[in-house]
Amino acid sequence: MTLLDDSAAPSTPVSAPPVAKKVPVERTHHGDTFVDNYEWLREKESPEVVAHLNAEQAYTDAVTAGQEQLRTDIFNEIKNRTQETDLSVPSRKDDWWYYGRMVEGQAYGIQCRVAASSDGTLADWTPPLVEPGVDVPGEVVLLDGNVEAEGQPFFSLGGAAVTRDGNLYAYAVDNAGDELFTIRIKDLRTGELLEDTIENVFYGLSFSPDGTTLFYMVADDSWRPFQVKTHVLGTPISSDAVLYQEDDVAMWTGFDLSADRRHLMISIGCSEFSETRLLDFAAPEKGLQVLIPRSAEILYDAEPFLLAGVEKVLLTHDRDAVNSMISLVDAAEFSKDVPSQRWDTVVAHDDSVRINGATVTATHMVVSLRKDTIERIQVTPLEGLGTAGQGAAVEPVFDEELYTASMGGSEYESPVIRLIYTSDFTPPRVYDYVLPVAGAEGELLLRKETPVLGGYRAQDYVAEREWATATDGTLVPLSVLRRADLPRDGNNAAVVYGYGSYEVSMDPGFGVPRLSLLDRGVVFVIAHVRGGGEMGRHWYEDGKKLTKMNTFTDFIAATDWVAGSGWVDPARIAAMGGSAGGLLMGAVANLAPEKYAAVVAQVPFVDALTTILDPELPLSALEWEEWGNPITDPAVYKYMKEYTPYENVRAVAYPKIAAVTSFNDTRVLYVEPAKWVQELRAKSTGSEPIVMKIEMDGGHGGASGRYEGWKTRAWDYAFLADALGATSLR
């Protein structure tokens, strides 16, 4: 008998993909009928559906079994580059410094504080030196996420609040991944929990100044935050009052405290106009006061404060200013009709500058803006604000071309503001910026740079700005990331990443996991497509509603630039995006499947038309301002029908596709990718596998805990690297 050589032995066959039964359901709108064979998969409580989803995961495990070592390698690379025992820079609030700890081997953060001292100098705002693994005298543990997560399938902290006197700590916990939280309140003097426990709440909680009342948000059955409620400590939860309820299903509601904490600010709005209502804590009997009613159709944010003893409101608004501008208004003006009000210009409109928002400290206005695609911060003295004597704006100066500088929070009375700085290859830095006084320049004080282990050197990598030309001639910015020693020989692999919705910008930011792709010779390209906010408000408006196709064709143009750049082999390009970026992935897979070797669509919004046509589904009505309303508008219905991924799957050879989802996701329901992969498999003329990875205990962000998060990212990157033939380190 002759033994067969191992190389000639047949490989273990991969099990066939699960085939869902077809149960045709007709959906008719505006004279058009669409037959949906897989809508039955929406029945989340059905054992048959759960069995099908488990079969999908089993098939995915079988198809990707050969990637297990690569996943392990990437996970370990992430782990070995991360200083696992670490902590945040303390931030001062009232008489305490607050910070978080991470401990090696533990998945969740530990929230802590130490007492602060005050002697009226800048030293009051110099955070104490706290070091990884070193006990801090007087440290108080507010919440240990690892203890909270014990025995739970999922854990996420949805917010926290502390009373002004520092005695009570309220925190919100999600143990399902559905982003509905349970609020508990801890007495920090005794460590005991109060009896007050509030179930099924949304993001957002704050204490009143006297600490007797807690404000919190509630979402309706479609997962839309619509009620602001008040809970008086020590009273039954059933007696909690509704401070405000928003009945317009297309409007989102939230609240915050003003910078000086004298007002509760309730914000109601969509992407096109808004309304702010203020509760003056000094005169709560007046109730909520509307500033600018939504009927004025102005999109604005408001910051009330006292200037020289006069009640003022700082407005960031789009009234005759598509990129927004900033005005200063006496509070008394809001009693007049909007056309009659006097608004003094503080920052004028500029077609090349997008104003993101503004806040105040006791001495300065702080503005977040975007110029030349870059998010940055400017400060202006309050003295003379809105008058001819207004001081000049000052901007902290950094030494990189592509970076992100954003607010990290500050106390109203503080002489410093906290800034977070990062770039594609600079790990996050925490700065305190000393606000300039009497004509002096501000000073940047570096408090921390996130350590990266494993011999990481920023100079080993390069980030460059390039431009692709869209089909209509528009130049689309690209961020091209690569190793500095990568040869430009046309043989490398590439991943093109995009999002392009809701005016969200893909700003420069450091990511440890991404290094694992770059170190395997992959060129990572971020396509800043229309629908995002990188180039101002017009950039967003040119990629929403009846111009949404620009988002998809921009991404394809970015892919064509990559293919012709000289860096990569056109046959070794993959695409990746998540949520609304997952819709982008589905659309480009339909439009140009031949351009991609693989596609990873994370929690993908691929059945968008079905979702938006049903206002009872989570968030559907809120989406009308982004995509249009296909229920009432035949033109919107027709336009969406032409691009939504599920309806446009066709008989072509699709590349390798992985749809990554979670069973408890409330933003993009698991049923969307579940239906999509069935349709893809049924119609694809190619032989590449199409898989769905589903986390049965996760939410929109996947499984909880940093280690599970690293595993998820390692899975995505291993799938891409394997498909691109880029599995080995350079």
Side-chain angles (χ1 to χ4, degrees):
M1 179 181 292
T2 303
L3 294 176
L4 290 174
D5 184 88
D6 284 346
S7 62
S11 59
T12 302
V14 175
S15 60
V19 178
K21 67 182 180 182
K22 293 184 178 181
V23 182
V25 174
E26 290 188 353
R27 186 193 72 201
T28 301
H29 288 271
H30 307 296
D32 175 76
T33 297
F34 173 71
V35 178
D36 191 338
N37 290 317
Y38 305 110
E39 178 63 13
W40 69 274
L41 290 170
R42 191 177 301 276
E43 299 299 324
K44 187 177 182 180
E45 304 301 322
S46 164
E48 187 177 4
V49 169
V50 173
H52 173 78
L53 297 177
N54 285 326
E56 286 281 15
Q57 185 59 50
Y59 174 67
T60 297
D61 290 342
V63 168
T64 63
Q67 299 165 23
E68 178 59 35
Q69 185 58 52
L70 182 56
R71 290 196 290 266
T72 299
D73 291 345
I74 294 175
F75 173 86
N76 286 333
E77 289 160 18
I78 297 170
K79 189 173 185 291
N80 292 338
R81 285 189 171 111
T82 302
Q83 182 168 297
E84 294 187 67
T85 297
D86 202 3
L87 46 90
S88 63
V89 177
S91 295
R92 182 161 182 170
K93 188 175 181 66
D94 297 315
D95 296 326
W96 297 86
W97 289 100
Y98 293 86
Y99 56 97
R101 285 188 178 275
M102 295 296 294
V103 177
E104 184 173 0
Q106 295 185 354
Y108 301 98
I110 304 169
Q111 307 305 314
C112 309
R113 73 176 185 182
V114 293
S117 59
S118 298
D119 61 14
T121 69
L122 183 62
D124 294 347
W125 303 97
T126 301
L129 180 63
V130 288
E131 299 177 285
V134 179
D135 290 338
V136 178
E139 179 177 273
V140 176
V141 173
L142 307 177
L143 181 75
D144 187 335
N146 303 285
V147 174
E148 289 284 331
E150 285 181 6
Q152 301 291 344
F154 185 92
F155 171 77
S156 177
L157 190 62
V162 184
T163 53
R164 295 289 294 270
D165 60 16
N167 291 336
L168 300 178
Y169 175 77
Y171 61 98
V173 171
D174 171 15
N175 289 131
D178 58 5
E179 297 181 85
L180 292 176
F181 300 88
T182 296
I183 295 176
R184 298 185 178 91
I185 303 172
K186 184 178 182 180
D187 188 328
L188 297 176
R189 295 161 296 187
T190 65
E192 299 297 321
L193 290 176
L194 304 187
E195 293 184 2
D196 310 65
T197 300
I198 311 172
E199 304 279 356
N200 296 317
V201 305
F202 196 68
Y203 295 99
L205 65 162
S206 293
F207 280 107
S208 60
D210 62 7
T212 63
T213 302
L214 185 71
F215 300 92
Y216 63 94
M217 287 296 311
V218 176
D220 64 14
D221 291 340
S222 65
W223 198 79
R224 176 184 67 95
F226 81 121
Q227 284 184 339
V228 181
K229 299 188 75 172
T230 60
H231 173 66
V232 178
L233 300 190
T235 65
I237 306 302
S238 59
S239 65
D240 287 1
V242 176
L243 178 64
Y244 178 76
Q245 178 168 313
E246 177 54 52
D247 294 324
D248 187 335
V249 296
M251 301 293 274
W252 186 282
T253 305
F255 69 83
D256 203 352
L257 298 181
S258 59
D260 59 12
R261 293 189 280 180
R262 294 185 308 114
H263 291 86
L264 183 78
M265 306 184 299
I266 298 179
S267 301
I268 308 107
C270 60
S271 65
E272 298 186 350
F273 57 89
S274 59
E275 180 176 280
T276 297
R277 301 185 179 215
L278 299 182
L279 179 68
D280 186 346
F281 287 129
E285 68 279 0
K286 294 181 180 178
L288 294 171
Q289 304 295 306
V290 178
L291 292 183
I292 305 166
R294 69 191 72 181
S295 58
E297 296 191 348
I298 297 172
L299 186 64
Y300 71 98
D301 290 320
E303 184 67 71
F305 69 107
L306 287 173
L307 181 59
V310 178
E311 193 75 47
K312 300 278 190 176
V313 176
L314 196 66
L315 290 179
T316 302
H317 65 91
D318 69 349
R319 183 185 185 187
D320 301 321
V322 66
N323 265 341
S324 292
M325 60 183 290
I326 300 176
S327 299
L328 186 65
V329 186
D330 280 0
E333 291 291 307
F334 294 109
S335 63
K336 306 174 185 177
D337 293 338
V338 173
S340 304
Q341 296 172 8
R342 176 179 170 175
W343 296 10
D344 294 318
T345 297
V346 172
V347 178
H349 179 257
D350 187 332
D351 280 332
S352 65
V353 178
R354 176 71 166 111
I355 304 297
N356 295 327
T359 187
V360 294
T361 70
T363 58
H364 286 74
M365 174 183 71
V366 184
V367 178
S368 171
L369 56 87
R370 183 178 302 280
K371 185 177 181 181
D372 300 327
T373 77
I374 300 302
E375 185 179 357
R376 55 191 77 197
I377 298 294
Q378 289 183 351
V379 299
T380 305
L382 289 184
E383 186 176 355
L385 198 69
T387 71
Q390 179 173 309
V394 177
E395 181 176 316
V397 177
F398 301 98
D399 57 5
E400 291 184 276
E401 177 188 6
L402 304 179
Y403 66 88
T404 302
S406 57
M407 280 287 290
S410 63
E411 276 282 81
Y412 180 70
E413 299 291 344
S414 175
V416 304
I417 58 172
R418 178 67 51 86
L419 299 180
I420 308 299
Y421 176 92
T422 185
S423 73
D424 290 307
F425 297 117
T426 300
R429 293 174 180 169
V430 177
Y431 287 100
D432 279 340
Y433 181 62
V434 182
L435 295 168
V437 294
E441 293 186 0
E443 182 183 4
L444 279 170
L445 304 175
L446 179 63
R447 298 306 191 191
K448 179 181 180 179
E449 178 173 315
T450 302
V452 182
L453 310 181
Y456 171 75
R457 302 190 315 158
Q459 61 266 37
D460 291 340
Y461 306 88
V462 175
E464 296 173 317
R465 170 71 78 235
E466 299 287 356
W467 301 83
T469 302
T471 53
D472 61 1
T474 299
L475 294 179
V476 179
L478 312 176
S479 295
V480 181
L481 317 181
R482 57 178 174 83
R483 281 193 61 93
D485 59 2
L486 195 71
R488 193 168 188 168
D489 59 7
N491 293 319
N492 303 301
V495 170
V496 187
Y497 178 87
Y499 186 77
S501 292
Y502 305 107
E503 204 179 355
V504 172
S505 299
M506 298 292 103
D507 290 319
F510 185 77
V512 164
R514 192 169 57 208
L515 299 176
S516 291
L517 283 182
L518 299 177
D519 286 351
R520 286 171 170 81
V522 175
V523 179
F524 196 97
V525 179
I526 302 168
H528 303 285
V529 296
R530 279 174 282 186
E534 289 89 344
M535 300 285 282
R537 182 73 179 187
H538 283 302
W539 197 250
Y540 167 52
E541 292 181 343
D542 288 345
K544 66 181 292 193
K545 291 189 174 179
L546 296 181
T547 59
K548 189 62 195 172
M549 283 294 296
N550 287 334
T551 301
F552 315 135
T553 53
D554 282 1
F555 191 88
I556 293 170
T559 304
D560 290 341
W561 181 92
V562 173
S565 67
W567 287 108
V568 308
D569 178 349
R572 300 181 68 200
I573 300 175
M576 181 168 65
S579 199
L583 181 150
L584 170 61
M585 294 300 99
V588 299
N590 287 335
L591 291 169
E594 73 283 356
K595 295 182 185 292
Y596 305 99
V599 173
V600 169
Q602 302 154 313
V603 289
F605 191 35
V606 285
D607 193 18
L609 190 51
T610 300
T611 295
I612 297 173
L613 283 168
D614 186 351
E616 299 302 316
L617 290 177
L619 301 182
S620 292
L622 294 169
E623 300 289 351
W624 295 337
E625 296 300 332
E626 182 72 18
W627 317 95
N629 188 342
I631 299 173
T632 60
D633 191 332
V636 170
Y637 176 88
K638 181 177 183 295
Y639 189 75
M640 291 190 69
K641 182 77 180 298
E642 291 172 352
Y643 72 71
T644 46
Y646 181 54
E647 285 91 344
N648 288 283
V649 174
R650 55 198 179 98
V652 294
Y654 283 92
K656 291 183 176 70
I657 292 178
V660 181
T661 188
S662 295
F663 190 54
N664 291 324
D665 191 342
T666 52
R667 299 186 188 225
V668 180
L669 302 184
Y670 73 88
V671 67
E672 298 202 23
K675 291 164 62 174
W676 182 51
V677 297
Q678 288 297 312
E679 192 72 2
L680 284 167
R681 291 189 194 127
K683 291 186 177 176
S684 178
T685 61
S687 59
E688 296 291 0
I690 295 166
V691 302
M692 184 174 80
K693 177 180 180 289
I694 182 165
E695 175 56 61
M696 296 301 285
D697 291 318
H700 194 61
S704 65
R706 57 173 172 172
Y707 298 112
E708 292 302 316
W710 295 349
K711 289 177 183 177
T712 297
R713 187 54 53 87
W715 194 98
D716 296 344
Y717 282 178
F719 185 89
L720 292 171
D722 181 72
L724 296 172
T727 59
S728 300
L729 293 169
R730 287 180 52 79

